[in-house]
Amino acid sequence: MNLTLKKLKTFFFEKRIGFYFLAVILYVLKTDLAYLTKFSLGAQSLYQQIIMLLNPIATAMLLLGIGLLFKGRKSYYIMLFIDFLMTTLMFANILYYREFSDFLTIELVSRSSQNSGGLGGSIAGIFKLTDLFVYLDIVLLIVLIAVKVIKLNPAPIGRRKPFTYIVISFSIFCANLSMAYSDRSGLLTRTFDNNYIVKYLGLNFFTGYNTFRAQETNAVRSKANASDLTSVTQYIDQHRVPVNPQYFGKAKGKNVIIFHLESFQQFLIDFKYEGKVITPNINALFHNPNSISFDNFFNQIGEGKTSDAEMMMENSLFGLPAGSAMLQYGGENTFNAAPDILSNHNYKSAVFHGGAGSFWNRDATYKSWGYDAFMSLHSYPNKKGYYHEYGIKDKIFLKTTAPYLEQLPQPFYSKIITVSNHYAFDFDKEDLTIDKSDTGDKTVDGYIQTAHYLDEAVGEFMNWFHSSGLSKNTMIVFYGDHFGISDNHKPAIRKLLDRKHFGEFDDVQFQRVPLIVYMPGLKGKIDHTYGGEIDFLPTLLDLMGIDNTKTLQFGQDLLSGKSNQVVAMRNGNFVTPKYTKAKGKYYLTKNGKHIASEDEDANEKEELSNLTNAVTTQLSLSDRVIQRDLLRFYKTPNLKKVDRSKYSYTKNATEKTFDQFSESPQTYENQRQKLGIADPNYITDAPELITKSERPNNRLAAVSAAGLKPDAKKKVVNDFNAWFGQQAGTNKLGLMTFKPLNVNDNSFYQTSFGKIGNNKDYPIHPLENPLILYHSKSGKTGLLNESNQNDIDFNKPFTMYLIADDGNVYEANIFKDTFPGVYNGLATNETQMVYYTPLPHTSSMFLKLHELIESNHDKD
Ligand code: GP9
Ligand code: MN
C-alpha cells in the first residue's frame, strides 16, 4: 500500500507526465464543480450528467498537452499558463452566466471592448467571492512547486509521448462527441442552445467552435456589399401584391397578440378520435364568425423548427438550409421585424415564453428585432412540478402571463410562445385529462393528449381574455409552428386518421398548420388561400393598415386575393392549389395523383420546372439576405439597425421594464380600473395550482345527468335553482334564468371544455338556459321567476352559470362592456363567446348538483 502511494507521489510530483495528469485531473474536477454549482446546464438524465462530467477531459488533455511539446522547465510554466487561461475563460463565463444565462463569445468580448463599460461594468457588480475557487488548484500547484514538493523535472520525455496524449485526447473527444450525438442528434448543426454545447462538449470546445463559426460568417458578411441587394429587391418588387381594401387597416391601432401554438397541426381542427373532439376551444376559434381562419396555411420550417417559424412569421425571411438563422445570425444582423416596424407606430412590444431565454438564441435575437421586453423562464415562478421538458407548463405559464399583458402600454404587440405540446409528448400524467389514442405509437398517442392540454390552456386563457375586457381592443393571432408528428410515424398516422394510405404526398399536405386571426368585430371567414408562415407579416401589416411597399419581405399578403399561392418548403418541395412536389416527385394537389414524368406534356413540364425554379429562387434570395446581412444596406424610411444595447432581458431588467410599463396611463390595467372593471379572475384547473380535491380527475368523476328521465331532470333543475336562489338571497343578489334574446348561436354557450348547446358533437349540454347572478337595481334578491334584464345593474360585475348534464357547474364572469350583446340584451356581432369554466369539485354548487343528480338517479 505504502509502496503504491509512494509510486503515485513520485509519478505526480516528480515526473513531467505526472504533473500533466495532475493538472488535467484538477482542471476536470473544478470544471465539474463549476458545472454543478455555477451554471445550470440542465442535464436531465443520468446519461446527460455523465457526458457533462466527462466533457472537460478531452480539451483539458489536448490543451495542457501543448505544454508537453516544450522542453525542460518551460514545459511546466506553459502548462500552468494554459491552465490559467482556461481557468480565466471559465471564471469570466461564471460571471457572465450569472447575469445572462449564456456564455461569452469572441464577438461579445470584442464588441464590449469597443464600447467600453458595457460588459465590464455590469459584470463587476455580480462577482461572488466563491467564484475564485476556480483558481485554487493553480495556486496550489504553484505553491507546491515553490516549496519544492513538486520538483520540476527537466529530463526529456521523448518525442512520441506528447503526440500520444494528443491522439488519445482526440479519441476521447470523438467518444464524447458520439455520446453527445446519440443523445442529441444535430447538436452541432442545429445547436439549439449554447447551453447544450457546453453541457455535451464543454466550455473550451464551445468557445473554440463558436469562434470558428463566427469567423466563417464574418468572412461572408464582410465580403458582401450593397450591390448584392439588386437581385433581391428586383425579386421583391416583382412579387409585391396590393392590399385588400376590404381588410386594410381593420386592426389599425389595436393591440396584437401572436399566440404560438407549439407543434399544433391543422388536422387537429375538428378532428375527433373515437367520437371525442380533441381541441374544442381552438376549433371554436377557428370557426368563430369573427375569425379569419386559413385552412391551406403551411409551416415552412427547416432544421431551426420553432426558430424558423418565428423568423418567418415576424420577418418574412426563411430559416436557413441548415441550422437556425436565429442562432447564427440573430445577435448580429440587421432586421426589420414586426416589433421594430410597429415601434414606429407607437407600439410597445413584449414576448412571453416559459422556457430558457438562451434557447434558439432568443435573448440575443429579440433585441435585434426590437422587442422591448422578453419575459423568459427566469421571470416565471418555477415551483416543483411547474416545469416540463422545455418550459413552464402552458396552463401555469398562461395564467402567469395574463396580468403582464394588462401592464403593457397600449397599443402593444406581443407574442406568447407555448411549449407543453412538444415532442416527445410524454406529459405528466396528472396534467392529462383525456385518454390516449391507441395507435400503439407513443409519440402519436401522447400528441393527442398534450394537444388537448394545450387546447384547455387556450380555453382558460380565452376565458380570461374575454372576462378582462382586453378582447375588446385586441387582435389575437393563433398559429401552429410546425408538425408534431413527423413522417417517421406513418403507420400510426394511418391508424389515427383511419386512412389506408399515407405517403410522401400526404406528408406534405400534413404540414398544414392553423392560422387564425381573431378579433371581436372582424368580419371573419374561412380563407382557402394557399400560403405559409413566410406570408404572415405582410398579411398582418395589411390588417394593421401599415404601408408595406418599402420593406424587404419574401412573403405575400394572403388577404390580397392576388398572392401567387406557391408555398415553398425549406427542402425545395412545394404546394400550390394545383401541384405538389414531394421528395422530388410531382402530384396533383387535389387528389394526390402522381404525375409520372413521361405523362407530362410540354406545358405541364414547363409549368412544373418554372415552379421549381421559383421556389429555389425565393429560398436562395432569402438565404442571401440573412447570410450576407443585406438588410444593413437596404435603404428605406424607418429602417435602421436596432440599437441592441437599449434592451436587457435579465430577470432584474425585465422586472424594471414592467415596473416602468405599468406606470403608463396607457396600460389596459390602468384603464380597466378607471372603467370600474374588477380584476378578472383567471380560472384554471392546472393541478399544480389547485388543491388535490379540486383536480380534474374529480371532474371526470362527476355524476352525469345525461341519463336522467325528463321529469327527474326537471326536478334537479328546480331543486338546484331553489337552493341557489336561497344562497343568492342571503348574499343580497338576484338570480334568474337568463334567456339570451336572439342569441341562438351555439357559441353563446362556449365553455372552456367545448361548445355546448344543440351541437351534438360536443359532450357537454346545459340542463337549461344559463342562470344569471346579479346585483338587482330594484333591490330584489333571491330566485326571481321571470327574467327581467332591465333589472340587472350592469355597473357591477355579474356571473353566469350553466348546470350541465355532465354533472358540472360552469361559471363565466361578465363585466360591463365585455359583452355588449349581453349588455344590451341583444345579439350583436360582438356577442360571440361566453366562456364558461367548470367549478372546482369542492365548491358547494358542484356538490349540491352532484347530490341532486345522484338522488334523482336513484328514483329512476
Ligand atoms: C423551446 C421551444 C421548442 O424554447 O420553443 O422549440 P422547437 O424544439 O419546437 O424548435
Ligand atoms: Mn416548436
Side-chain angles (χ1 to χ4, degrees), residues 235 239 296 298 300 318 529-535 554-556 558 562-569 572-579 581 607-608 610-616 618:
Y235 174 91
H239 289 80
N296 287 314
F298 290 77
Q300 299 169 285
F318 285 97
T529 307
Y530 278 66
E533 288 158 336
I534 197 78
D535 301 311
F554 282 87
Q556 293 180 316
L558 295 177
K562 301 212 165 69
S563 61
N564 287 358
Q565 304 199 72
V566 180
V567 187
M569 300 293 164
N573 285 342
F574 60 76
V575 187
T576 76
K578 200 167 166 196
Y579 299 114
K581 184 177 183 182
E607 219 178 327
L608 290 171
N610 284 347
L611 281 170
T612 297
N613 286 339
V615 164
T616 349
Q618 191 190 22

Side-chain angles (χ1 to χ4, degrees), residues 260 262 306 481-482:
H260 173 112
E262 179 57 42
T306 294
D481 65 339
H482 49 71

Side-chain angles (χ1 to χ4, degrees), residues 181 185-193 197 209 213 216-217 300-312 317-330 359-361 570-571 623 626-627:
Y181 260 71
S185 65
L187 178 64
L188 289 181
T189 42
R190 300 178 61 197
T191 312
F192 308 102
D193 185 334
I197 307 256
Y209 180 71
R213 281 194 93 163
E216 263 184 347
T217 52
Q300 299 169 285
I301 56 112
E303 286 183 352
K305 298 283 287 286
T306 294
S307 67
D308 286 355
E310 292 187 49
M311 181 63 82
M312 288 184 276
L317 292 171
F318 285 97
L320 298 175
S324 154
M326 271 172 63
L327 229 136
Q328 289 175 52
Y329 297 91
F359 203 89
W360 289 134
N361 203 25
R570 188 55 260 195
N571 57 9
D623 295 344
I626 292 189
Q627 284 159 347

Side-chain angles (χ1 to χ4, degrees), residues 676 678 733 773-775 793-799 814-816:
L733 292 168
L773 185 65
Y774 67 101
H775 290 266
D793 181 354
F794 283 104
N795 286 314
K796 303 212 171 96
F798 58 97
T799 318
I814 318 272
F815 301 95
K816 186 192 176 188

